[in-house]
Amino acid sequence: MKRRELVKSVGIGALAAGTAVSAPMVQAKKSFQWKMVTSWPKNFPGLGTGANFLAKTIAELSDGRIQIKVYGAGELVPAFEVFDAVSRGTAQMGHGAAYYWKGKIEAAQFFAAVPFGLTAQEMNSWLYHGGGLELWQEAYEPFDLIPTAAGNSGVQMAGWFNKAIDSVSDLKGLKMRIPGLGGEVLRRAGGTPVSLPGGEIFTALKTGAIDATEWVGPYNDLAFGFYKAAKYYYYPGWHEPGTTIECFINKTAFNSLPTELQSIVKIACRVANQDMLADMTARNNAALQTLVDKHKVEVRALPDPVLSKLKQLSEQVVAEIAEKDNFSKRVYSSYNRFRRQTIDWHRISEQAFLNARGVV
Ligand code: CA
């Protein structure tokens, strides 16, 4: 009996070993046809092209084993439905911004942009080396999604206005397209925030359905032609100091990939995250010059008292999120702790240097 069992188990062992040898070979040939739905118009400069870059990078690194077809907003699903579409598996990947999902996860806003919060460089530090990414993954876990950073806008512009903003009272009654926490701050300042996908902003501004809008920065805003509908272009983007653009992946789809392809997807997102910031930084100033020289846009700074009031309101709004639920409290604590220490360090590094360079 014992001998027979031994022979049998060796036989099974050999068979199992044989399977183990051949399985990776079979898997190595397997290729994956994925869909990526995005919150941006197809090929939109910076954001849509960032999604294309991610898909192309994954295809190249995987030697064509993962092919991803990128869909613009509205092609497969509308801009604000990409989260649900990937969650239920209609597409394997999504490309958007976490603050669009605040109706599902209050704390999601911390993973996109916080008014007077972290810059691009600081956001990446928090996500990769400050515990932020782990919290983000925990936030999306109930939706069977794996999120990660896949782009960054850098400091945005405050937006497009048809009336001068000379004091806080000029914000009263203002109907403005502004998402996330910035929108709530505007509400506290007496305005009415509106959430609209990028592709719908121009018409809303042109027809007067909204009085003002923010989008991203000169490179992106020039592409939408907002200069045809508003005359003042205000800075700085107090509400979005370094917005993280996200890629989220359906968990079942991700788990179906062999380990090396999982690594490729993760590394490609990291490359795309860096590339988008470089793209935006490289092109924003040329676009700004076109807006000013060719389209006669008037660039204006928000007055200090307005920024100061917005900052005060932002602190209230952000702190209140921590009271909504336990998870939000944890995210807020992590983010806020990181913000405090990075402000201390950057005071004598980035900030001191930029101040010094500015006066040379
Ligand atoms: Ca924006």
Side-chain angles (χ1 to χ4, degrees), residues 43-120:
N43 302 326
F44 189 79
L47 299 165
T49 54
N52 296 346
F53 175 86
L54 175 58
K56 184 169 156 272
T57 304
I58 291 173
E60 279 174 11
L61 290 175
S62 68
D63 198 19
R65 287 161 65 197
I66 309 177
Q67 297 285 347
I68 302 170
K69 185 167 164 48
V70 180
Y71 292 85
E75 285 192 314
L76 198 60
V77 294
F80 289 163
E81 284 175 31
V82 299
F83 187 96
D84 287 339
V86 180
S87 177
R88 67 173 178 258
T90 302
Q92 289 78 16
M93 282 179 115
H95 200 264
Y99 51 34
Y100 292 148
W101 326 125
K102 68 171 183 173
K104 300 173 197 299
I105 312 158
E106 194 67 45
Q109 303 178 95
F110 285 98
F111 308 112
V114 170
F116 298 94
L118 303 177
T119 64

XYZ file of all heavy atoms in Angstrom, residues 43-120:
580
model
N -8.038 61.773 -27.367
C -6.813 62.464 -27.808
C -6.676 63.890 -27.272
O -5.906 64.678 -27.818
C -6.713 62.521 -29.341
C -6.741 61.148 -29.962
O -6.227 60.181 -29.387
N -7.353 61.029 -31.130
N -7.428 64.253 -26.237
C -7.329 65.622 -25.713
C -5.888 65.882 -25.235
O -5.319 65.067 -24.508
C -8.322 65.833 -24.559
C -8.399 67.265 -24.133
C -9.138 68.183 -24.870
C -7.689 67.723 -23.029
C -9.182 69.515 -24.501
C -7.733 69.054 -22.658
C -8.482 69.958 -23.402
N -5.291 67.019 -25.667
C -3.890 67.287 -25.314
C -3.635 67.177 -23.806
O -4.378 67.755 -23.014
C -3.680 68.727 -25.782
C -4.688 68.926 -26.859
C -5.881 68.098 -26.458
N -2.591 66.466 -23.437
C -2.218 66.327 -22.024
C -2.929 65.179 -21.335
O -2.297 64.221 -20.883
N -4.260 65.249 -21.245
C -5.007 64.229 -20.507
C -5.317 63.003 -21.368
O -4.977 61.872 -21.012
C -6.295 64.836 -19.944
C -6.067 65.992 -18.961
C -7.352 66.772 -18.718
C -5.503 65.476 -17.648
N -5.963 63.239 -22.520
C -6.266 62.126 -23.436
C -4.993 61.524 -24.016
O -4.863 60.295 -24.124
N -4.042 62.392 -24.357
C -2.776 61.872 -24.893
C -1.995 61.139 -23.791
O -1.236 60.222 -24.072
C -1.906 63.009 -25.491
O -1.739 64.025 -24.495
C -2.546 63.623 -26.731
N -2.205 61.535 -22.537
C -1.586 60.837 -21.404
C -2.125 59.412 -21.290
O -1.378 58.469 -21.009
N -3.432 59.253 -21.522
C -4.049 57.911 -21.504
C -3.496 57.081 -22.667
O -3.173 55.900 -22.496
C -5.571 58.027 -21.597
N -3.358 57.715 -23.838
C -2.789 57.006 -25.000
C -1.354 56.556 -24.707
O -0.958 55.442 -25.054
C -2.739 57.922 -26.240
C -4.124 58.343 -26.694
O -5.124 57.771 -26.271
N -4.179 59.355 -27.554
N -0.584 57.467 -24.074
C 0.816 57.162 -23.746
C 0.896 55.946 -22.818
O 1.741 55.067 -22.993
C 1.468 58.398 -23.092
C 2.872 58.149 -22.604
C 3.955 58.282 -23.466
C 3.127 57.791 -21.286
C 5.262 58.055 -23.027
C 4.419 57.553 -20.828
C 5.488 57.690 -21.701
N -0.018 55.903 -21.846
C -0.029 54.770 -20.903
C -0.309 53.462 -21.649
O 0.389 52.464 -21.447
C -1.073 55.018 -19.809
C -1.295 53.883 -18.808
C -0.013 53.517 -18.078
C -2.380 54.265 -17.796
N -1.315 53.478 -22.520
C -1.673 52.262 -23.271
C -0.507 51.809 -24.156
O -0.182 50.620 -24.222
C -2.917 52.524 -24.121
N 0.130 52.774 -24.801
C 1.238 52.475 -25.707
C 2.437 51.922 -24.919
O 3.091 50.969 -25.349
C 1.622 53.779 -26.426
C 2.692 53.638 -27.489
C 2.770 54.957 -28.298
C 4.126 55.125 -28.943
N 5.123 55.794 -28.081
N 2.706 52.511 -23.762
C 3.831 52.066 -22.933
C 3.614 50.631 -22.454
O 4.540 49.808 -22.464
C 4.031 53.017 -21.733
O 4.200 54.338 -22.238
C 5.249 52.648 -20.913
N 2.389 50.328 -22.048
C 2.091 48.960 -21.589
C 2.258 47.974 -22.750
O 2.846 46.900 -22.583
C 0.660 48.885 -20.986
C 0.603 49.664 -19.668
C 0.239 47.427 -20.772
C -0.780 49.803 -19.062
N 1.788 48.352 -23.938
C 1.924 47.464 -25.113
C 3.403 47.233 -25.445
O 3.825 46.102 -25.703
C 1.185 48.062 -26.310
N 4.187 48.299 -25.394
C 5.616 48.180 -25.721
C 6.366 47.327 -24.695
O 7.124 46.431 -25.054
C 6.255 49.568 -25.801
C 5.999 50.269 -27.137
C 6.512 51.704 -27.166
O 7.258 52.103 -26.237
O 6.145 52.417 -28.113
N 6.142 47.633 -23.415
C 6.864 46.904 -22.370
C 6.473 45.430 -22.336
O 7.279 44.574 -21.996
C 6.613 47.546 -20.996
C 7.236 48.918 -20.736
C 6.797 49.448 -19.383
C 8.757 48.852 -20.793
N 5.233 45.139 -22.708
C 4.767 43.744 -22.661
C 4.995 43.036 -23.998
O 4.517 41.922 -24.194
C 3.280 43.695 -22.286
O 2.486 44.231 -23.333
N 5.688 43.681 -24.902
C 5.948 43.110 -26.230
C 4.636 42.736 -26.927
O 4.520 41.688 -27.555
C 6.873 41.877 -26.090
C 7.537 41.515 -27.412
O 7.584 42.390 -28.300
O 7.952 40.359 -27.565
N 3.651 43.591 -26.730
C 2.366 43.392 -27.404
C 1.419 42.404 -26.727
O 0.338 42.130 -27.244
N 1.830 41.900 -25.557
C 0.953 40.912 -24.901
C -0.260 41.565 -24.250
O -1.270 40.907 -24.014
C 1.756 40.108 -23.868
C 2.704 39.127 -24.567
C 3.790 38.670 -23.634
N 3.253 37.891 -22.532
C 3.938 37.658 -21.404
N 5.140 38.154 -21.230
N 3.400 36.929 -20.459
N -0.152 42.843 -23.919
C -1.355 43.568 -23.468
C -1.618 44.680 -24.482
O -0.794 45.586 -24.649
C -1.192 44.201 -22.066
C -0.684 43.176 -21.058
C -2.516 44.798 -21.594
C -0.434 43.760 -19.672
N -2.726 44.580 -25.158
C -3.150 45.617 -26.109
C -4.337 46.336 -25.486
O -5.299 45.695 -25.067
C -3.580 44.977 -27.434
C -2.477 44.236 -28.175
C -1.485 45.176 -28.847
O -1.738 46.377 -28.977
N -0.342 44.641 -29.260
N -4.244 47.648 -25.421
C -5.333 48.399 -24.779
C -5.942 49.391 -25.761
O -5.243 50.237 -26.319
C -4.818 49.153 -23.532
C -4.209 48.156 -22.541
C -5.952 49.931 -22.870
C -3.467 48.809 -21.399
N -7.235 49.285 -25.957
C -7.944 50.248 -26.801
C -8.467 51.358 -25.894
O -9.161 51.089 -24.902
C -9.104 49.548 -27.519
C -9.837 50.432 -28.524
C -10.751 49.572 -29.413
C -11.799 50.349 -30.173
N -11.375 51.519 -30.896
N -8.090 52.587 -26.216
C -8.467 53.730 -25.377
C -9.747 54.378 -25.923
O -9.848 54.639 -27.119
C -7.324 54.776 -25.344
C -7.714 55.972 -24.476
C -6.025 54.146 -24.832
N -10.694 54.604 -25.029
C -11.964 55.240 -25.408
C -12.064 56.629 -24.795
O -11.819 56.808 -23.603
C -13.148 54.402 -24.917
C -13.280 53.066 -25.616
C -12.566 51.955 -25.170
C -14.110 52.926 -26.731
C -12.676 50.730 -25.818
C -14.217 51.710 -27.389
C -13.499 50.610 -26.925
O -13.604 49.412 -27.573
N -12.421 57.602 -25.604
C -12.676 58.947 -25.093
C -13.999 58.972 -24.341
O -14.805 58.032 -24.446
N -14.224 60.048 -23.584
C -15.478 60.189 -22.836
C -16.657 60.114 -23.809
O -16.655 60.757 -24.852
C -15.494 61.533 -22.114
N -17.641 59.301 -23.455
C -18.837 59.200 -24.275
C -18.759 58.155 -25.384
O -19.769 57.850 -26.014
N -17.591 57.625 -25.644
C -17.480 56.617 -26.706
C -18.030 55.261 -26.268
O -18.755 54.615 -27.012
C -16.020 56.455 -27.147
C -15.528 57.605 -28.002
C -14.191 57.283 -28.662
O -13.280 56.766 -27.995
O -14.072 57.573 -29.860
N -17.651 54.859 -25.072
C -18.179 53.595 -24.535
C -19.111 53.901 -23.354
O -20.200 53.353 -23.262
C -17.009 52.697 -24.093
C -17.300 51.220 -23.905
C -17.798 50.569 -25.189
C -16.039 50.485 -23.413
N -18.627 54.797 -22.489
C -19.457 55.285 -21.369
C -19.174 56.778 -21.179
O -18.104 57.252 -21.562
C -19.161 54.542 -20.027
C -19.574 53.083 -20.116
C -17.698 54.668 -19.626
N -20.118 57.535 -20.592
C -19.879 58.964 -20.342
C -18.711 59.196 -19.371
O -18.350 58.289 -18.603
C -21.196 59.443 -19.721
C -22.221 58.428 -20.124
C -21.483 57.122 -20.210
N -18.174 60.417 -19.406
C -16.990 60.792 -18.614
C -17.084 60.378 -17.142
O -16.127 59.845 -16.572
C -16.782 62.307 -18.708
N -18.231 60.639 -16.538
C -18.348 60.411 -15.100
C -18.858 59.000 -14.764
O -19.224 58.723 -13.633
C -19.249 61.474 -14.457
C -18.609 62.845 -14.408
C -19.386 63.989 -14.186
C -17.237 63.014 -14.573
C -18.807 65.253 -14.136
C -16.647 64.278 -14.526
C -17.434 65.400 -14.308
N -18.877 58.115 -15.750
C -19.302 56.737 -15.463
C -18.173 55.725 -15.633
O -18.400 54.522 -15.606
C -20.501 56.367 -16.338
C -21.771 57.022 -15.809
C -22.990 56.807 -16.687
O -23.071 55.755 -17.340
O -23.841 57.704 -16.704
N -16.951 56.243 -15.818
C -15.839 55.309 -16.043
C -15.533 54.462 -14.795
O -15.174 53.295 -14.906
C -14.555 56.026 -16.564
C -14.819 56.712 -17.894
C -14.011 57.020 -15.581
N -15.728 55.053 -13.636
C -15.475 54.326 -12.383
C -16.379 53.088 -12.305
O -15.908 51.967 -12.086
C -15.731 55.275 -11.200
C -15.372 54.736 -9.845
C -14.143 55.019 -9.272
C -16.270 53.962 -9.120
C -13.809 54.541 -8.008
C -15.951 53.479 -7.857
C -14.710 53.776 -7.302
N -17.677 53.298 -12.502
C -18.633 52.183 -12.441
C -18.374 51.164 -13.546
O -18.505 49.959 -13.326
C -20.071 52.710 -12.578
C -20.533 53.419 -11.314
O -19.947 53.164 -10.250
O -21.471 54.231 -11.399
N -18.015 51.657 -14.733
C -17.808 50.758 -15.877
C -16.654 49.787 -15.605
O -16.744 48.601 -15.922
C -17.539 51.566 -17.142
N -15.580 50.299 -15.006
C -14.429 49.430 -14.718
C -14.733 48.549 -13.502
O -14.346 47.383 -13.449
C -13.140 50.262 -14.522
C -11.951 49.361 -14.217
C -12.853 51.096 -15.772
N -15.464 49.098 -12.560
C -15.844 48.332 -11.372
C -16.655 47.084 -11.766
O -16.440 46.000 -11.246
C -16.650 49.228 -10.425
O -17.088 48.505 -9.309
N -17.563 47.240 -12.710
C -18.389 46.077 -13.090
C -17.758 45.251 -14.203
O -18.312 44.227 -14.615
C -19.809 46.523 -13.463
C -19.922 47.359 -14.709
C -21.367 47.637 -15.137
N -21.343 48.484 -16.316
C -21.573 49.786 -16.313
N -21.879 50.407 -15.179
N -21.499 50.492 -17.427
N -16.592 45.707 -14.739
C -15.857 44.902 -15.717
C -16.203 45.169 -17.174
O -15.784 44.434 -18.057
N -16.969 46.237 -17.448
C -17.272 46.622 -18.840
C -15.974 46.967 -19.564
O -15.816 46.712 -20.750
C -18.234 47.836 -18.866
O -19.411 47.475 -18.148
C -18.589 48.252 -20.278
N -15.052 47.609 -18.818
C -13.703 47.860 -19.317
C -12.747 47.400 -18.220
O -13.138 47.300 -17.050
C -13.507 49.341 -19.611
N -11.504 47.129 -18.609
C -10.531 46.644 -17.620
C -9.807 47.788 -16.923
O -9.325 47.642 -15.800
C -9.489 45.739 -18.296
C -10.019 44.399 -18.743
C -10.828 44.487 -20.040
O -10.768 45.479 -20.770
N -11.601 43.451 -20.305
N -9.722 48.934 -17.616
C -8.988 50.074 -17.047
C -9.773 51.363 -17.213
O -10.519 51.519 -18.182
C -7.665 50.288 -17.794
C -6.574 49.335 -17.431
S -5.120 49.735 -18.430
C -4.031 50.247 -17.158
N -9.521 52.290 -16.267
C -10.127 53.609 -16.363
C -9.066 54.672 -16.143
O -8.035 54.425 -15.498
N -9.312 55.861 -16.703
C -8.367 56.981 -16.588
C -9.210 58.207 -16.263
O -10.067 58.608 -17.050
C -7.656 57.152 -17.945
C -6.368 57.904 -17.903
N -6.295 59.249 -18.184
C -5.098 57.496 -17.646
C -5.015 59.636 -18.103
N -4.274 58.589 -17.778
N -9.004 58.747 -15.063
C -9.828 59.875 -14.625
C -9.145 60.642 -13.513
O -7.918 60.757 -13.488
N -9.951 61.198 -12.606
C -9.412 61.901 -11.439
C -10.295 61.553 -10.252
O -11.524 61.561 -10.358
C -9.398 63.409 -11.681
N -9.651 61.233 -9.128
C -10.368 60.646 -7.989
C -11.462 61.552 -7.414
O -12.435 61.067 -6.846
C -9.367 60.248 -6.905
N -11.315 62.888 -7.554
C -12.355 63.745 -6.950
C -13.691 63.638 -7.666
O -14.709 64.069 -7.138
C -11.916 65.199 -6.786
C -11.324 65.903 -7.991
C -11.732 65.649 -9.283
C -10.349 66.889 -7.788
C -11.178 66.324 -10.367
C -9.783 67.570 -8.860
C -10.208 67.274 -10.154
O -9.664 67.946 -11.209
N -13.714 63.052 -8.861
C -14.999 62.857 -9.539
C -15.876 61.833 -8.805
O -17.066 61.762 -9.037
C -14.778 62.370 -10.980
C -14.141 63.370 -11.926
C -13.307 62.942 -12.960
C -14.380 64.742 -11.818
C -12.725 63.842 -13.852
C -13.798 65.647 -12.699
C -12.970 65.196 -13.715
O -12.394 66.083 -14.594
N -15.266 61.035 -7.931
C -16.018 59.938 -7.285
C -16.365 60.266 -5.836
O -16.609 59.373 -5.033
C -15.220 58.622 -7.375
C -14.425 58.518 -8.643
C -13.082 58.297 -8.761
C -14.902 58.658 -10.003
N -12.710 58.308 -10.093
C -13.792 58.531 -10.871
C -16.165 58.904 -10.571
C -13.904 58.631 -12.272
C -16.273 59.007 -11.964
C -15.157 58.856 -12.793
N -16.352 61.532 -5.478
C -16.602 61.899 -4.076
C -17.998 61.477 -3.613
O -18.218 61.282 -2.421
C -16.385 63.400 -3.859
C -17.411 64.287 -4.540
C -17.246 65.733 -4.099
C -18.327 66.590 -4.743
N -18.327 67.955 -4.252
N -18.945 61.316 -4.548
C -20.282 60.848 -4.179
C -20.271 59.403 -3.694
O -21.172 58.971 -2.980
N -19.249 58.647 -4.078
C -19.141 57.240 -3.656
C -18.201 57.101 -2.469
O -18.455 56.334 -1.550
C -18.568 56.385 -4.800
C -19.410 56.391 -6.053
C -18.654 55.645 -7.168
C -19.231 55.955 -8.533
N -20.645 55.555 -8.651
N -17.081 57.846 -2.529
C -16.073 57.774 -1.472
C -15.678 59.211 -1.130
O -15.006 59.869 -1.929
C -14.799 57.028 -1.940
C -15.129 55.702 -2.628
C -13.818 56.832 -0.796
C -14.035 55.199 -3.547
N -16.088 59.666 0.020
C -15.808 61.063 0.395
C -14.307 61.360 0.349
O -13.869 62.376 -0.176
C -16.363 61.311 1.802
C -16.455 62.764 2.194
C -17.467 63.580 1.403
O -18.604 63.114 1.196
O -17.093 64.689 0.988
N -13.499 60.425 0.879
C -12.062 60.668 0.993
C -11.322 60.592 -0.342
O -10.136 60.917 -0.415
C -11.443 59.669 1.981
N -12.021 60.171 -1.414
C -11.362 60.042 -2.723
C -10.718 61.359 -3.152
O -9.709 61.374 -3.859
C -12.365 59.582 -3.776
N -11.310 62.454 -2.710
C -10.818 63.782 -3.117
C -9.359 64.016 -2.733
O -8.638 64.717 -3.424
C -11.715 64.853 -2.501
C -13.162 64.647 -2.904
C -14.098 65.654 -2.292
O -14.415 66.658 -2.892
N -14.506 65.394 -1.071
N -8.934 63.400 -1.633
C -7.538 63.562 -1.204
C -6.557 62.966 -2.213
O -5.392 63.323 -2.234
C -7.310 62.890 0.161
C -7.886 63.657 1.309
C -9.123 63.325 1.834
C -7.188 64.730 1.859
C -9.659 64.036 2.895
C -7.712 65.444 2.918
C -8.950 65.099 3.438
N -7.034 62.019 -3.032
C -6.138 61.353 -3.980
C -6.097 62.065 -5.328
O -5.428 61.608 -6.250
C -6.535 59.878 -4.135
C -6.657 59.175 -2.813
C -7.880 58.736 -2.338
C -5.529 58.992 -2.021
C -7.993 58.116 -1.094
C -5.623 58.372 -0.776
C -6.859 57.933 -0.315
N -6.811 63.182 -5.432
C -6.731 63.999 -6.661
C -6.113 65.345 -6.290
O -4.954 65.605 -6.608
C -8.110 64.188 -7.278
N -6.884 66.187 -5.608
C -6.375 67.511 -5.250
C -7.076 68.054 -4.017
O -8.273 67.838 -3.841
C -6.578 68.477 -6.405
N -6.319 68.748 -3.192
C -6.853 69.402 -2.004
C -6.493 70.885 -2.096
O -5.328 71.224 -2.351
C -6.240 68.777 -0.721
C -6.597 69.589 0.511
C -6.699 67.335 -0.555
N -7.466 71.783 -1.940
C -7.153 73.214 -1.983
C -6.037 73.558 -0.980
O -6.095 73.119 0.174
C -8.463 73.880 -1.577
C -9.518 72.876 -1.932
C -8.891 71.535 -1.717
N -5.067 74.293 -1.428
C -3.911 74.683 -0.612
C -3.169 73.455 -0.052
O -2.543 73.508 0.995
C -4.327 75.644 0.517
C -4.906 76.937 -0.004
C -6.289 77.083 -0.167
C -4.083 77.987 -0.383
C -6.827 78.257 -0.676
C -4.621 79.165 -0.897
C -5.992 79.297 -1.042
N -3.295 72.349 -0.774
C -2.675 71.093 -0.331
C -1.325 70.843 -0.983
O -0.515 71.767 -1.143
N -1.115 69.585 -1.369
C 0.197 69.171 -1.864
C 0.402 69.495 -3.342
O -0.519 69.382 -4.141
C 0.363 67.652 -1.662
C 0.201 67.130 -0.236
C 0.316 65.603 -0.219
C 1.251 67.737 0.699
N 1.638 69.856 -3.692
C 2.009 70.065 -5.095
C 2.268 68.697 -5.744
O 2.241 67.669 -5.064
C 3.296 70.897 -5.211
O 4.372 70.137 -4.625
C 3.174 72.247 -4.518
N 2.557 68.704 -7.046
C 2.790 67.446 -7.767
C 3.896 66.626 -7.105
O 3.742 65.432 -6.831
C 3.142 67.741 -9.224
